[in-house]
């Protein structure tokens, strides 16, 4: 069985909508991001990824964005050269999942400015940070676009300030300190 | 040691690799560098190294040696380190290192320190929130009359006021529909929900159509009439380009067929059968047969429909349809002449579709006399001679297209015609030729039929006479059919012990009769073993009851698939419930994981678990079961023997 064991799920199955994982991959099947919301071994993750990527890439353009795979529902959408692929449970709402994917793409777009696959490749850690501000445990935790981007901005700023302080200490440049004190 | 290269630099370098081998080489080199850097306990570059490790991990290379480093990053004061550290922990951590307790400790401290971000949700039109609230309403209203009533108005409001031009609006509507279906809503609201789904079916967006069909399939049993109103839209979806939509439309169409719309629906479904993908044809054909059997407006229509399916999708029809169809044809006495004529004509066109050929052979064997005498009333009777008919049947025997089973049908049909046709000599010749056939089954049949011509010629007419009407019983086992023919000896059903012909006359009389009859019946009862095996109660003590339900695994008939259903009639839940089973040495057992470990009190639910038993020697099934659970705080354990398995589960 893939995903969370039926016995784990049984006790709280329909109480919480559960996205089990999200995968981003290119048209050649190269993984660009993988976020897992259920505990699985490395081997299982690799197997699922390989099979799912194959299945989704085999889909023709006119087909539905939803497909049934194992005991999960897969919701996927292609944006330019990247496939965004989410696995949800049987009782979950596929249409809202499409919206979640779209919201994530909007966030990336706003952050990177007309995002493209290269941005995600070279800044994968940022893509993760943005995803984690938006989704937590497989559910949308922050539905305000503004707030998500603000949070990322602040974190980035914190990083930058620290870096510059560090540089300043390292190079002993008073100039920097004055600018950022 | 020179400074480790930056993350972006590494990504750029790796992307220049032209082959997998080149990439692997670069990765290994970098991993080695990172490892030595970790060993030097360098704080400055740890963050950069772990980030690179994460990238390489995403490409599929092992990176667990970085797990400990992630923890060090988390513990660092630098925000950048913490950020990458947490990301690394989320991506890399697994059971290999016992780091989880440490992480839990760190997180607990974080939470206890009073840090809680404040965020507000802007705008009432927040779709994510709306969907979540609707979800919550669904949970609250499920099974509760009062809360369901209280939310009726708001659900109706959302259903009618939500803007449907974009996917967002439809997502909210969809969640509303799901909620209405799950709670105890009034019928007006349910009709509203189904109408929303009906509107979804007309939407240009295939995703919306897909979602609608799936939901309609779930509700068609309970709200049948409301769904019927959308029948024509659903039937249109049969022509959709998307495979999943077509499948759902097909399933839904079958669910909607009734006595009133059977003719129209069947037209659409037959058209669909013609044009659909091969994957669908078997299911569609079975569905059509079922629907036709239930709602056929006339026998002629029924036969025509069957003919249409056999000729258009004949090779996709399931094997068990053949005996079903034969029984149907036998019981439609007034249509015999028409049926055999149509089947004969179909054979002239095409002998490649085995189910069609088998049914046709059987019918020609039975009703060949009607065929040559030109008695058909329903349509223009064809002129055909005995020789022509025998030509066709013999053609089946020699054709490469015929499966061995089909050849058996054909030979038996030829034999039956010896009492219906006058060209007995020709038939005798054919039968004697096949007495030395390489195919053992054909050979045995031919030898026995030969004996019928020689030593038992006086019995031949009685044995080969027209089959009587067959009663269709629940289990459809061979025993029932034998009894309607006046046979009560059930030992003949054991094919392993078919008596040989060289036996004392008196005994042989009965056995030959039985075995020859069994030949006729053989064609009809091939599927009997797989029909329903009755469920049984395996254990019932101290408030816990375990029922076994059975099915045969396909394709291996030696495997019995048992599903256990454990229910608890006491007032307290039984937790940590574990079911174990042991079988005698000649069997093999496989226990799959249970649905849960809690058997809820007062029969509010059950724990199910699947057991697969391999029984190659077909011995009587016995099982020892062990139950352990916690009830009202105390552990309980019990052992029991299960011996009352129904014979069909292991024979």
């Amino acid at each position: 069985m893939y995903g969370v064991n039926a016995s784990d799920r049984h006790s709280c199955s329909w109480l919480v909508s559960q996205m089990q994982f999200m995968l981003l991959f290119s048209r050649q099947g190269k993984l660009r991001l993988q976020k897992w919301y259920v505990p699985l071994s490395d081997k299982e993750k690799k197997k699922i990824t390989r099979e799912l990527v194959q299945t989704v890439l085999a889909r023709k353009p006119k087909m539905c964005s939803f497909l049934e795979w194992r005991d999960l529902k897969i919701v996927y959408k292609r944006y330019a050269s990247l496939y965004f692929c989410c696995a949800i449970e049987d009782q979950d709402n596929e249409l809202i999942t499409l919206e979640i994917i779209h919201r994530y793409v909007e966030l990336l777009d706003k952050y990177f400015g007309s995002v493209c696959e290269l941005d995600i490749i070279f800044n994968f850690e940022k893509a993760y940070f943005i995803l984690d501000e938006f989704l937590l445990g497989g559910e949308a935790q922050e539905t305000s676009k503004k707030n998500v981007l603000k949070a990322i901005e602040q974190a980035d700023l914190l990083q930058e300030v620290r870096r510059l302080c560090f540089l300043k200490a390292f190079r002993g440049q008073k100039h920097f300190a004055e600018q950022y004190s | 040691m020179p400074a480790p290269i930056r993350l972006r630099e590494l990504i750029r370098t790796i992307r220049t690799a032209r082959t997998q081998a080149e990439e692997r080489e670069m990765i290994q080199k970098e991993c080695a560098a990172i490892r030595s850097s970790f060993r030097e306990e360098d704080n400055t570059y740890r963050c950069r190294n772990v980030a690179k490790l994460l990238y390489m991990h995403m490409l599929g290379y092992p990176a667990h040696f970085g797990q400990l480093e992630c923890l060090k990053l988390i513990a660092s004061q630098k925000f950048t380190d913490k950020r990458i550290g947490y990301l690394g922990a989320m991506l890399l951590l697994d059971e290999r290192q016992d780091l989880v307790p440490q992480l839990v400790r760190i997180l607990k401290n974080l939470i206890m320190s009073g840090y809680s971000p404040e965020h507000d949700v802007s705008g009432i039109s927040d779709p994510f929130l709306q969907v979540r609230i609707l979800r919550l309403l669904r949970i609250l209203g499920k099974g509760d009359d009062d809360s369901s009533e209280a939310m009726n108005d708001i659900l109706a409001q959302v259903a009618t006021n939500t803007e449907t031009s974009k996917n967002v609006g439809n997502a909210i509507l969809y969640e509303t529909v799901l909620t209405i279906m799950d709670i105890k809503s009034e019928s007006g609201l349910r009709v509203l929900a189904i109408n929303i789904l009906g509107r979804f079916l007309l939407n240009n967006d295939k995703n919306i159509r897909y979602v609608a069909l799936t939901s309609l399939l779930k509700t068609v049993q309970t709200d049948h009439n409301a769904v019927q109103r959308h029948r024509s839209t659903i039937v249109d979806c049969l022509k959709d380009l998307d495979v999943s939509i077509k499948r759902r439309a097909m399933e839904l169409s079958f669910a909607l067929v009734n006595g009133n719309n059977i003719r129209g629906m069947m037209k659409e479904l037959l058209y669909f059968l013609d044009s659909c993908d091969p994957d669908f044809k078997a299911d569609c054909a079975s569905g059509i047969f079922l629907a036709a059997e239930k709602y056929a407006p006339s026998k002629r229509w029924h036969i025509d429909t069957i003919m249409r399916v056999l000729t258009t999708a004949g090779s996709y029809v399931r094997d068990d349809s053949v005996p079903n169809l034969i029984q149907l044809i036998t019981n439609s006495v007034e249509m015999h002449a028409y049926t055999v004529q149509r089947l004969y004509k179909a054979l002239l066109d095409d002998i490649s579709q085995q189910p069609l050929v088998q049914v046709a052979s059987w019918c020609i064997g039975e009703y060949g006399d009607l065929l040559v005498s030109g008695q058909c009333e329903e349509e223009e009777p064809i002129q055909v001679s005995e020789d022509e008919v025998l030509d066709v049947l013999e053609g089946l025997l020699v054709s490469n297209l015929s499966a061995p089973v089909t050849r058996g049908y054909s030979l038996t049909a030829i034999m039956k015609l010896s009492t219906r046709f006058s060209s007995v000599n020709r038939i005798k010749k054919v039968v004697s030729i096949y007495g030395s056939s390489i195919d053992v089954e054909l050979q045995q049949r031919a030898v026995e039929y030969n004996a019928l011509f020689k030593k038992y010629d006086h019995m031949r007419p009685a044995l080969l006479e027209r089959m009587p009407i067959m009663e269709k019983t629940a289990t459809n086992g061979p025993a029932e059919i034998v009894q309607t023919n006046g046979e009560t000896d059930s030992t003949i059903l054991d094919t392993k012990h078919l008596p040989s012909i060289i036996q004392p006359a008196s005994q042989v009389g009965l056995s030959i009769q039985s075995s020859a009859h069994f030949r006729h019946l053989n064609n009809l009862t091939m599927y009997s073993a797989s029909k329903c095996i009755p469920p049984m109660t395996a254990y019932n003590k101290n408030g816990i009851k375990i029922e076994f339900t059975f099915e045969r695994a396909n394709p291996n008939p030696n495997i019995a698939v048992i599903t256990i259903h454990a229910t608890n009639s006491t007032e307290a839940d039984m937790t940590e419930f574990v079911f174990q089973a042991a079988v005698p040495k000649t069997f093999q057992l496989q226990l799959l994981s249970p649905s849960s470990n809690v058997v809820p009190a007062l029969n509010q639910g059950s724990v199910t678990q699947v057991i697969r038993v391999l029984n190659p020697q077909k011995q009587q099934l016995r099982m020892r079961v062990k139950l352990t659970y916690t009830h009202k705080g105390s552990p309980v354990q019990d052992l029991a023997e299960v011996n009352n398995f129904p014979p069909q589960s292991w024979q």
Side-chain angles (χ1 to χ4, degrees):
Chain A
M1 290 289 271
Y2 294 128
V4 178
N5 193 306
S7 52
D8 299 352
R9 263 193 268 145
H10 185 79
S11 44
C12 57
S13 52
W14 46 268
L15 288 177
V16 173
S17 71
Q18 166 90 85
M19 182 189 298
Q20 292 214 353
F21 55 84
M22 180 189 292
L23 303 174
L24 265 66
F25 48 90
S26 70
R27 276 190 294 160
Q28 286 76 41
K30 284 209 103 102
L31 201 60
R32 297 300 178 205
L33 186 144
Q34 52 174 332
K35 186 72 191 183
W36 300 84
Y37 294 107
V38 289
L40 289 167
S41 72
D42 244 357
K43 207 168 110 191
E44 285 172 313
K45 286 184 194 170
K46 281 207 166 72
K47 183 155 187 227
I48 292 176
T49 306
R50 198 181 30 222
E51 282 182 26
L52 202 50
V53 167
Q54 234 178 5
T55 309
V56 172
L57 287 178
R59 303 273 288 179
K60 304 200 194 55
K62 282 256 186 303
M63 288 178 156
C64 246
S65 292
F66 315 129
L67 63 108
E68 272 155 26
W69 185 80
R70 307 293 160 167
D71 57 343
L72 298 170
K73 293 201 269 208
I74 305 293
V75 178
Y76 72 93
K77 197 154 159 105
R78 197 180 122 202
Y79 288 85
S81 58
L82 264 186
Y83 282 88
F84 287 68
C85 180
C86 294
I88 56 176
E89 295 186 354
D90 196 53
Q91 68 276 16
D92 291 337
N93 184 330
E94 299 95 316
L95 300 179
I96 204 75
T97 309
L98 269 183
E99 288 303 314
I100 288 178
I101 292 178
H102 192 70
R103 173 58 67 89
Y104 181 46
V105 171
E106 283 180 328
L107 290 168
L108 290 170
D109 198 45
K110 206 63 199 274
Y111 182 79
F112 288 108
S114 284
V115 65
C116 66
E117 194 186 339
L118 279 177
D119 290 319
I120 313 255
I121 294 171
F122 280 94
N123 301 284
F124 69 92
E125 80 278 14
K126 297 268 169 59
Y128 273 109
F129 295 150
I130 296 171
L131 184 63
D132 290 338
E133 279 300 326
F134 174 41
L135 297 179
L136 191 67
E139 303 179 38
Q141 58 150 333
E142 177 53 74
T143 51
S144 155
K145 246 195 290 193
K146 208 170 67 171
N147 286 353
V148 171
L149 292 166
K150 200 159 79 168
I152 296 288
E153 219 177 275
Q154 286 174 342
D156 280 351
L157 198 60
L158 206 54
Q159 206 168 318
E160 196 59 28
V161 166
R162 297 286 192 194
R163 187 182 76 89
L164 289 167
C165 285
F166 175 73
L167 280 175
K168 166 223 159 207
F170 196 64
R171 295 183 195 156
Q173 288 186 19
K174 223 163 68 155
H175 189 55
F176 275 22
E178 271 166 11
Q179 269 194 317
Y180 284 92
S181 59
Chain B
M1 180 174 157
I5 65 169
R6 294 175 186 277
L7 170 67
R8 311 271 182 274
E9 193 62 50
L10 177 70
I11 297 178
R12 238 187 304 269
T13 314
I14 291 177
R15 282 168 64 78
T16 62
R18 272 161 300 168
T19 65
Q20 185 77 346
E22 214 181 312
E23 181 183 281
R24 204 175 314 137
E25 212 185 295
M26 292 178 184
I27 301 267
Q28 276 171 353
K29 197 166 135 209
E30 186 57 36
C31 276
I34 292 176
R35 257 193 247 254
S36 31
S37 181
F38 282 163
R39 268 196 293 270
E40 284 173 21
E41 298 277 340
D42 191 321
N43 290 340
T44 333
Y45 298 112
R46 184 174 291 130
C47 178
R48 180 186 297 184
N49 284 331
V50 169
K52 287 186 286 184
L53 213 53
L54 292 180
Y55 181 73
M56 295 190 287
H57 176 251
M58 184 145 66
L59 291 178
Y61 296 94
H64 10 281
F65 58 90
Q67 285 178 18
L68 208 50
E69 303 299 314
C70 291
L71 277 201
K72 292 182 193 163
L73 283 176
I74 290 172
S76 156
Q77 291 303 315
K78 291 211 292 235
F79 180 71
T80 319
D81 282 1
K82 278 177 144 43
R83 237 184 167 190
I84 296 289
Y86 277 117
L87 183 62
M90 282 192 275
L91 294 177
L92 295 181
L93 244 49
D94 61 16
E95 328 75 60
R96 259 177 285 233
Q97 289 250 28
D98 197 20
L99 300 169
V100 177
Q102 284 174 285
L103 261 183
V104 171
R105 206 169 10 97
I106 294 169
L107 286 170
K108 254 204 191 122
N109 288 336
L110 209 61
I111 295 166
M112 303 290 232
S113 68
Y115 171 70
S116 62
E118 233 161 36
H119 62 271
D120 52 26
V121 179
S122 52
I124 328 161
S125 58
D126 187 335
F128 303 109
L129 187 60
Q130 284 198 42
V131 167
R132 294 301 300 282
I133 293 174
L134 285 165
R135 194 64 190 276
L136 184 58
L137 285 177
R138 192 181 347 164
I139 296 164
L140 292 173
K142 197 170 179 129
D144 186 316
D145 287 325
D146 291 333
S147 28
S148 299
E149 206 186 302
M151 59 180 80
N152 263 326
D153 286 341
I154 187 69
L155 288 174
Q157 219 178 338
V158 174
T160 37
N161 291 343
T162 307
E163 170 81 40
T164 57
S165 55
K166 293 252 185 79
N167 183 56
V168 192
N170 287 323
I172 296 172
L173 273 184
Y174 180 43
E175 193 69 38
T176 314
V177 168
L178 291 176
T179 303
I180 293 174
M181 288 306 161
D182 255 2
I183 65 172
K184 290 185 180 281
S185 47
E186 54 174 32
S187 63
L189 203 53
R190 292 181 83 90
V191 171
L192 180 60
I194 299 214
N195 288 343
I196 291 177
L197 292 177
R199 270 209 317 275
F200 273 8
L201 281 181
L202 300 166
N203 195 305
N204 288 332
D205 187 340
K206 59 187 164 332
N207 295 327
I208 311 268
R209 292 203 299 275
Y210 175 92
V211 148
L213 283 172
T214 311
S215 309
L216 283 170
L217 202 51
K218 290 193 198 144
T219 62
V220 71
Q221 303 303 333
T222 44
D223 296 279
H224 192 90
N225 291 332
V227 181
Q228 277 283 0
R229 270 183 234 126
H230 302 277
R231 196 180 64 244
S232 51
T233 324
I234 292 170
V235 165
D236 279 339
C237 289
L238 286 172
K239 307 192 181 82
D240 202 295
L241 294 163
D242 184 295
V243 162
S244 349
I245 289 181
K246 277 203 274 216
R247 177 163 284 277
R248 270 159 185 70
M250 182 183 83
E251 285 171 22
L252 203 46
S253 299
F254 281 125
L256 289 176
V257 170
N258 61 28
N260 293 330
N261 56 37
I262 177 76
R263 283 190 195 261
M265 286 296 272
M266 199 51 84
K267 219 165 90 181
E268 296 287 342
L269 288 166
L270 284 170
Y271 179 73
F272 177 68
L273 181 68
D274 274 339
S275 53
C276 68
D277 293 338
D279 315 327
F280 283 101
K281 292 208 197 234
D283 288 332
C284 189
S286 299
I288 289 177
F289 284 147
L290 225 72
E293 205 174 310
K294 276 210 278 221
Y295 302 112
S298 73
K299 290 234 159 115
R300 160 89 189 258
W301 181 93
H302 198 169
I303 303 279
D304 283 341
T305 307
I306 293 174
M307 287 298 306
R308 177 83 182 270
V309 174
L310 283 180
T311 47
T312 51
S315 30
Y316 297 99
V317 159
R318 293 218 168 82
D319 290 337
D320 60 359
S321 311
V322 173
N324 267 333
L325 291 176
I326 288 177
Q327 183 183 40
L328 186 68
I329 292 170
T330 310
N331 292 352
S332 318
V333 179
E334 65 278 17
M335 304 296 301
H336 283 168
Y338 172 68
T339 311
V340 71
Q341 181 163 297
R342 285 213 57 191
L343 284 168
Y344 178 77
K345 284 202 273 195
L347 270 193
L348 292 177
D349 273 334
D350 172 19
I351 61 167
S352 65
Q353 306 195 80
Q354 298 307 291
L356 172 63
V357 177
Q358 286 166 13
V359 174
S361 313
W362 193 92
C363 285
I364 295 174
E366 274 294 294
Y367 312 120
D369 49 321
L370 299 176
L371 189 58
V372 299
S373 63
Q375 284 182 26
C376 183
E377 284 171 6
E378 300 282 340
E379 64 175 22
E380 185 71 35
I382 57 171
Q383 308 295 329
V384 63
S385 69
E386 292 185 1
D387 276 321
E388 284 172 315
V389 174
L390 287 172
D391 282 342
V392 169
L393 286 178
E394 284 184 44
L396 295 176
L397 273 176
V398 301
S399 167
N400 286 334
L401 297 167
S402 297
V405 171
T406 310
R407 277 185 244 260
Y409 271 91
S410 177
L411 187 62
T412 304
I414 293 176
M415 185 58 191
K416 283 198 228 178
L417 290 175
S418 71
T419 55
R420 293 156 173 76
F421 282 4
S422 51
S423 29
V424 181
N425 285 328
R426 178 172 173 180
I427 295 176
K428 270 193 198 167
K429 223 163 90 178
V430 174
V431 167
S432 71
I433 289 173
Y434 278 87
S436 37
S437 163
I438 300 178
D439 182 327
V440 177
E441 172 69 22
L442 279 183
Q443 192 192 104
Q444 179 162 11
R445 289 186 186 210
V447 167
E448 292 184 5
Y449 294 159
N450 239 337
L452 262 188
F453 275 125
K454 302 210 165 76
K455 225 168 140 191
Y456 303 99
D457 201 42
H458 56 282
M459 287 176 145
R460 194 167 43 90
L463 276 178
L464 301 177
E465 70 179 6
R466 188 82 95 229
M467 292 293 271
I469 305 234
M470 292 168 228
E471 297 300 321
K472 197 163 188 181
T473 62
T475 52
N476 246 344
E480 276 70 37
I481 297 181
V482 171
Q483 265 150 27
T484 57
N485 284 332
E487 297 293 321
T488 50
D489 185 7
S490 53
T491 56
I492 60 159
L493 301 171
D494 189 347
T495 47
K496 295 193 198 97
H497 299 301
L498 266 178
S500 73
I501 302 175
I502 317 151
Q503 269 186 20
S506 53
Q507 199 178 6
V508 136
L510 185 60
S511 13
I512 281 289
Q513 198 172 27
S514 322
S515 63
H517 241 145
F518 186 62
R519 290 255 173 268
H520 290 286
L521 304 171
N522 200 16
N523 306 336
L524 298 163
T525 60
M526 279 190 283
Y527 65 99
S528 61
S530 59
K531 283 298 183 197
C532 27
I533 304 170
M536 60 177 263
T537 301
Y539 179 95
N540 194 352
K541 217 165 109 182
N542 298 332
I544 186 164
K545 180 162 127 176
I546 300 188
E547 276 209 0
F548 283 5
T549 55
F550 303 90
E551 46 186 276
R552 287 246 167 238
N554 265 322
N556 188 347
N558 287 332
I559 296 181
V561 180
I562 306 173
T563 306
I564 74 154
H565 305 262
T567 48
N568 165 14
S569 59
T570 69
E571 317 136 353
D573 289 346
M574 292 172 177
T575 55
E576 288 158 58
F577 176 78
V578 175
F579 173 89
Q580 290 168 295
V583 287
K585 284 209 185 65
T586 52
F587 300 84
Q588 276 182 48
L589 185 84
Q590 184 190 14
L591 206 51
L592 303 185
S593 38
S595 62
S596 107
N597 294 113
V598 176
V599 195
L602 300 170
N603 294 325
Q604 283 174 14
S606 67
V607 166
T608 57
Q609 191 166 7
V610 173
I611 309 173
R612 293 162 68 94
V613 181
L614 177 65
N615 182 5
Q617 297 181 21
K618 292 238 189 281
Q619 301 221 350
Q620 183 177 3
L621 183 54
R622 289 177 299 135
M623 198 183 272
R624 189 170 291 167
V625 300
K626 178 171 167 185
L627 307 177
T628 54
Y629 54 92
T630 305
H631 190 231
K632 293 182 180 161
S634 7
V636 180
Q637 185 180 297
D638 197 14
L639 283 166
E641 289 260 355
V642 183
N643 287 323
N644 53 329
F645 283 97
Q648 301 98 309
S649 64
W650 45 268
Q651 276 177 346

